[in-house]
Amino acid sequence: MLTMPSRPVLRRLASVPAASVAAAAVATAAVGVVLSAPHATADVAPAYGAGSTATTYGGRALDLCTAPRLATLGAWRASAYRAVGIYTSGINRACKSQPNLGTAWVRGAARSGWHLAPIHVGRQAPCVSWTRYRISRTLATAASQGAAGAEEAVAAVRRLGMVSGTAIFADIENFSTADSGCKAAVLAYVDGWVDRLHVRGMLAGVYSNAISGIHALAVAYNDPRQSRPDAVWFARWNGLASVWGDPSFGDALWHGTQRMKQYRGDHWESWGGVSLRIDSNVASVITASVPYAQHVTARGGLNVRSGPGASYPRTSGLATGTTVDVVCQTSGSLALGSRVWDRLSTGRYVSDSGLDTRSTPGWTWPLPRCTTPFQVIASVLNTRAGPTTAAAAKGRLYGGQLAYAGCQTSGAAVGSSRVWDRLPDGTYVSDYYLRSRSRTTWSAPLPRC
């Protein structure tokens, strides 16, 4: 990452001897074995707000110290990059002024198809020397520092207009894992970071080097005392643009849209006639969720409802010409030729046919589909054709993987719950095996299927 004092440290890490990598691989060999046994994690479930959604991205990403101008992002559409890491907060953030970064920039970037990855450069490991702002070696204090960093990070992204369901990454630069007290302090900091972000309705990511911070988190992946991040962003400057196959942690960990890899460090690239000094990344990951301003075009106004369909109760109305913030789209009942319904930042729904979206009656690019992600707490969880264990198994999710629920319905009893979650591919999983807010009843803000 572009925390300037640590760039030489990261540069050295990019050329770690093969023997060190092999040793790290041996040290993590047991991690995959643990997955075969039931486990639980310490972290709390995310308390998503009413107008929340998750946004995911797969492809090339860049990060750079200062957020570029929107015109620069426009020029860089000539490249394969479609996501950008932005430094939003943190006491160790190198580029604090960020002259371009504001609500209008965030909305403009998202509207033009760019995904955003907010980065918080807070306190660093106690065994580094390049900053005086370090994590305490007292574990309780370290956890409280992680929580305080999360509060600062959430306030920053909310000021920029990002909504509940956004993933925020804590930048933890390289440190010595041979120092057991240092490593324990970092893990305690991550505990506080993950839990507080979840309390505030956000998803928790961690950026670090593959053989230090991410390796430490991988070893603790199934430790019931350790809160598990929702996503990892790992640095290994080997030029290989793939999030899979890293020798420091197995592919079964953070499986799915929970990984980003920084595969090339500080360098210059030019696209569309504009040069930037960047790090290069490849992603299959959760990113920021940003509202999109739309206008009511329906003659006579538009009904606002509690769910995505005309059968849901009307909660209010919107006059023609009113501007509303749409966070995502979902399927619902047919209305004026469209089954697409839009979730507003208030958590309420309107028929997409009554707004000036650009692709009525279909989906509107680049709005995401409405999903609410929860970590899987079973070692292996079958996805099924219907909301019952008697239905055919269609696929598998693994421990710690995010299950992206679109809606909930009643089904066969599993444990203390009859709630089943429908995933975007139309399959179902028992809510009992997800770290949702309640394992006995419905979880806000999910609508009924």
Side-chain angles (χ1 to χ4, degrees):
M1 284 294 182
L2 292 169
T3 45
M4 293 304 182
S6 64
R7 295 301 279 177
V9 175
L10 274 179
R11 195 164 283 114
R12 286 195 298 271
L13 272 166
S15 56
V16 172
S20 298
V21 174
V26 171
T28 54
V31 174
V33 176
V34 180
L35 281 175
S36 64
H39 65 275
T41 58
D43 57 312
V44 298
Y48 295 113
S52 71
T53 194
T55 304
T56 61
Y57 171 72
R60 300 296 175 100
L62 62 99
D63 67 87
L64 69 173
C65 198
T66 302
R69 296 182 301 117
L70 288 177
T72 298
L73 290 182
W76 270 56
R77 287 190 62 81
S79 73
Y81 297 106
R82 289 296 182 272
V84 57
I86 52 174
Y87 291 85
T88 53
S89 58
I91 198 168
N92 278 308
R93 181 171 55 156
C95 299
K96 290 185 170 64
S97 62
Q98 298 292 341
N100 300 316
L101 189 57
T103 303
W105 185 93
V106 166
R107 290 202 175 208
R111 189 90 189 188
S112 61
W114 284 88
H115 289 254
L116 308 177
I119 306 160
H120 173 82
V121 194
R123 291 180 179 270
Q124 297 297 306
C127 50
V128 302
S129 59
W130 57 266
T131 177
R132 64 189 179 92
Y133 300 110
R134 297 189 290 268
I135 299 166
S136 172
R137 286 182 179 268
T138 302
L139 300 189
T141 303
S144 67
Q145 290 171 335
E151 291 285 0
E152 179 188 352
V154 171
V157 301
R158 287 198 179 280
R159 283 194 299 270
L160 292 171
M162 301 174 199
V163 300
S164 179
T166 287
I168 311 174
F169 290 85
D171 181 336
I172 300 175
E173 295 291 333
N174 181 57
F175 61 94
S176 173
T177 55
D179 183 332
S180 59
C182 183
K183 181 170 65 174
V186 170
L187 291 176
Y189 180 90
V190 171
D191 263 341
W193 169 260
V194 172
D195 288 349
R196 188 59 60 88
L197 281 184
H198 283 181
V199 167
R200 298 302 181 206
M202 301 294 182
L203 291 163
V206 173
Y207 165 90
S208 193
N209 196 273
I211 67 168
S212 60
I214 303 305
H215 170 70
L217 288 168
V219 171
Y221 190 84
N222 290 308
D223 188 334
R225 300 163 297 179
Q226 177 66 42
S227 296
R228 183 193 295 130
D230 301 297
V232 291
W233 185 348
F234 60 101
R236 186 180 292 281
W237 295 356
N238 59 4
L240 300 178
S242 174
V243 298
W244 307 112
D246 193 88
S248 287
F249 63 107
D251 287 352
L253 311 186
W254 295 289
H255 186 79
T257 50
Q258 296 173 270
R259 293 177 170 221
M260 182 146 59
K261 177 185 177 182
Q262 189 181 78
Y263 63 87
R264 185 182 179 189
D266 199 13
H267 65 283
W268 286 92
E269 283 193 32
S270 182
W271 295 97
V274 180
S275 296
L276 290 175
R277 185 180 175 184
I278 67 166
D279 294 330
S280 293
N281 307 267
V282 63
S284 174
V285 78
I286 46 177
T287 57
S289 293
V290 179
Y292 296 74
Q294 304 288 164
H295 302 91
V296 177
T297 56
R299 294 182 180 179
L302 187 61
N303 288 324
V304 179
R305 299 190 179 275
S306 62
S311 62
Y312 287 88
R314 180 185 184 276
T315 60
S316 63
L318 296 169
T320 304
T322 303
T323 301
V324 293
D325 280 340
V326 176
V327 296
C328 60
Q329 296 183 315
T330 190
S331 295
S333 64
L334 185 66
L336 298 176
S338 177
R339 290 190 178 276
V340 177
W341 285 72
D342 299 337
R343 181 186 290 171
L344 307 181
S345 58
T346 60
R348 304 301 187 182
Y349 294 80
V350 296
S351 170
D352 187 67
S353 58
L355 300 181
D356 63 344
T357 51
R358 289 171 289 177
S359 54
T360 302
W363 307 107
T364 301
W365 180 89
L367 277 166
R369 303 293 83 81
C370 297
T371 56
T372 302
F374 301 110
Q375 284 193 20
V376 174
I377 58 175
S379 294
V380 178
L381 179 61
N382 287 323
T383 63
R384 298 191 177 274
T388 170
T389 54
K394 293 294 186 179
R396 285 185 168 184
L397 301 176
Y398 296 92
Q401 189 171 350
L402 293 177
Y404 291 89
C407 60
Q408 294 183 317
T409 189
S410 293
V414 177
S416 60
S417 180
R418 285 188 174 274
V419 176
W420 286 71
D421 298 350
R422 190 168 73 194
L423 307 182
D425 63 0
T427 61
Y428 294 80
V429 292
S430 169
D431 191 66
Y432 182 75
Y433 291 116
L434 303 182
R435 191 163 295 283
S436 57
R437 294 297 291 174
S438 173
R439 295 174 69 197
T440 59
T441 187
W442 313 108
S443 294
L446 282 164
R448 304 295 81 78
C449 298

